[in-house]
Amino acid sequence: MTSSQPQARFLMCRPAHFAVTYAINPWMDPENWARNDHALGAAAWQEWAALHQTLCELGAAIELVPPVQGLPDLVFTANAAVVLDRTALLARFRHPERQPEEPHFDAAFRALQAHGILDAVRTLPDGLVLEGAGDCVWDDARNLFWMGYGRRSDVHARDAVEATFGVEVIPLELVDPRFYHLDTALSAMPRGELVYFPGAFTAAARAAILKRVDPADRIELTAEDACRLSANAVVLDDTIVLPGCGRRLRAELEQRGYCVRETPLGAFLHSGGAAFCLTLRLDARSHVESRLVRSSHRRLPQAQARS
Ligand code: ARG
């Protein structure tokens, strides 16, 4: 973090009750987990602590949701809400297994509001499902949300997100059950690159991506990188924190000026989640106005701009 930048802030939840006790995506195999639950539980603690430590070293502040027994997926705080401009839009979950998380996340966001970290906490219209930032990835460079739907979230949630935040939302239909949340297959980088796995999307969704992302900014993942959830990354300034990646992807990201930090998250991969899923950015800001100001500055002749 450079001193001129405001401190990044994330919401996380210690994996005190993390386990795989049900299956709501193809990564999850409760019987397999149960055969090795002590070792996997210990690995989860250690991996989560390393991720937490990495984000702290990078200068981030971390807020914590208290873990709750019987809610193993509460650790995936990316699913708690969509947060932008100090406003949180609380998630609603598709599966009954995760629905009991909703009141706990609700309480956590009310507490963040009470502590002055957020200004507003909103709820979705009745009947709509939207699994938070897991399906609503903020693209800072384009000032828009990419929204995944078709497996967990409803396409109609788009209107609620646009109405809440007043920014454009691009819906992308997901087709591969392994990539059930958008954040498992797409990451928007601060300088405008989009890292994504084309195989996760319908032809129409891929076309929507091609329309908005210049060829030079597209970083397409191989199936191998996609399956180690390389797209499930936390990006802080120039550093990309991800659960693992192949040599080619690392080289490509480094060539573009990013520093790649691999932090193994194998225990969480058993649940279908990794770095992005385990965090929720609380300080993202839209910046239509600052962009307009910046671009009008660029248009000024130099002498004028300096005066
Ligand atoms: N087991 C969890 C589920 O299926 C994993 C969620 C991972 N979170 C994410 N944002 N992709 O819901």
Side-chain angles (χ1 to χ4, degrees):
M1 188 184 65
T2 58
S3 53
S4 61
Q5 268 157 332
Q7 186 175 28
R9 193 178 291 275
F10 294 92
L11 184 68
M12 294 180 74
C13 173
R14 291 189 200 286
H17 304 292
F18 173 68
V20 177
T21 56
Y22 50 75
I24 54 171
N25 71 51
W27 301 78
M28 302 175 85
D29 180 346
E31 283 174 24
N32 183 39
W33 179 278
R35 275 195 286 276
N36 207 3
D37 60 345
H38 283 295
L40 287 166
W45 266 110
Q46 187 263 318
E47 292 169 357
W48 186 94
L51 174 65
H52 181 271
Q53 166 87 20
T54 299
L55 296 178
C56 291
E57 278 169 20
L58 292 170
I62 311 289
E63 306 295 331
L64 292 171
V65 186
V68 178
Q69 187 155 25
L71 297 180
D73 280 342
L74 201 70
V75 289
F76 298 114
T77 50
N79 296 123
V82 180
V83 184
L84 184 71
D85 293 334
R86 294 174 58 85
T87 296
L89 178 61
L90 295 173
R92 189 170 296 126
F93 287 92
R94 168 81 49 206
H95 294 292
E97 289 87 343
R98 294 202 68 182
Q99 286 163 0
E101 296 177 34
E102 290 170 17
H104 298 281
F105 284 136
D106 186 325
F109 283 100
R110 307 280 166 196
L112 290 173
Q113 186 181 6
H115 288 112
I117 289 167
L118 296 175
D119 292 331
V121 181
R122 301 266 157 77
T123 49
L124 285 161
D126 284 349
L128 274 184
V129 169
L130 176 63
E131 298 200 345
D135 263 334
C136 226
V137 172
W138 177 243
D139 186 332
D140 194 56
R142 293 181 182 78
N143 204 61
L144 57 78
F145 279 116
W146 300 100
M147 192 191 95
Y149 72 94
R151 310 218 65 91
R152 295 289 181 88
S153 301
D154 295 328
V155 65
H156 298 296
R158 173 196 192 175
D159 299 339
V161 177
E162 286 192 338
T164 304
F165 300 106
V167 296
E168 194 183 1
V169 177
I170 312 294
L172 299 175
E173 189 173 4
L174 297 166
V175 282
D176 185 326
R178 293 170 302 174
F179 305 106
Y180 55 93
H181 280 141
L182 181 63
D183 67 358
T184 61
L186 177 144
S187 181
M189 310 291 288
R191 298 200 202 113
E193 299 92 343
L194 200 77
V195 177
Y196 72 109
F197 176 53
F201 300 94
T202 59
R206 289 199 300 270
I209 291 173
L210 301 191
K211 190 174 150 204
R212 283 176 182 80
V213 182
D214 287 344
D217 286 331
R218 297 174 201 153
I219 303 181
E220 297 194 354
L221 292 182
T222 60
E224 201 186 339
D225 279 329
C227 289
R228 48 183 156 217
L229 294 185
S230 299
N232 202 258
V234 178
V235 189
L236 256 181
D237 305 324
D238 285 344
T239 303
I240 307 175
V241 182
L242 45 66
C245 67
R247 253 190 289 162
R248 272 225 336 253
L249 178 59
R250 173 182 274 272
E252 159 124 52
L253 292 167
E254 287 177 346
Q255 205 197 342
R256 289 169 185 264
Y258 293 102
C259 165
V260 178
R261 282 181 70 159
E262 289 184 55
T263 186
L265 293 166
F268 298 98
L269 258 65
H270 281 269
S271 193
F276 186 94
C277 305
L278 291 165
T279 59
L280 176 66
R281 188 88 193 234
L282 295 173
D283 61 309
R285 291 284 200 167
S286 66
H287 43 87
V288 177
E289 280 170 34
S290 56
R291 286 197 137 201
L292 290 176
V293 172
R294 252 187 278 139
S295 59
S296 69
H297 274 304
R298 265 204 296 276
R299 281 198 298 274
L300 288 175
Q302 276 206 326
Q304 230 184 312
R306 255 187 256 121
S307 67

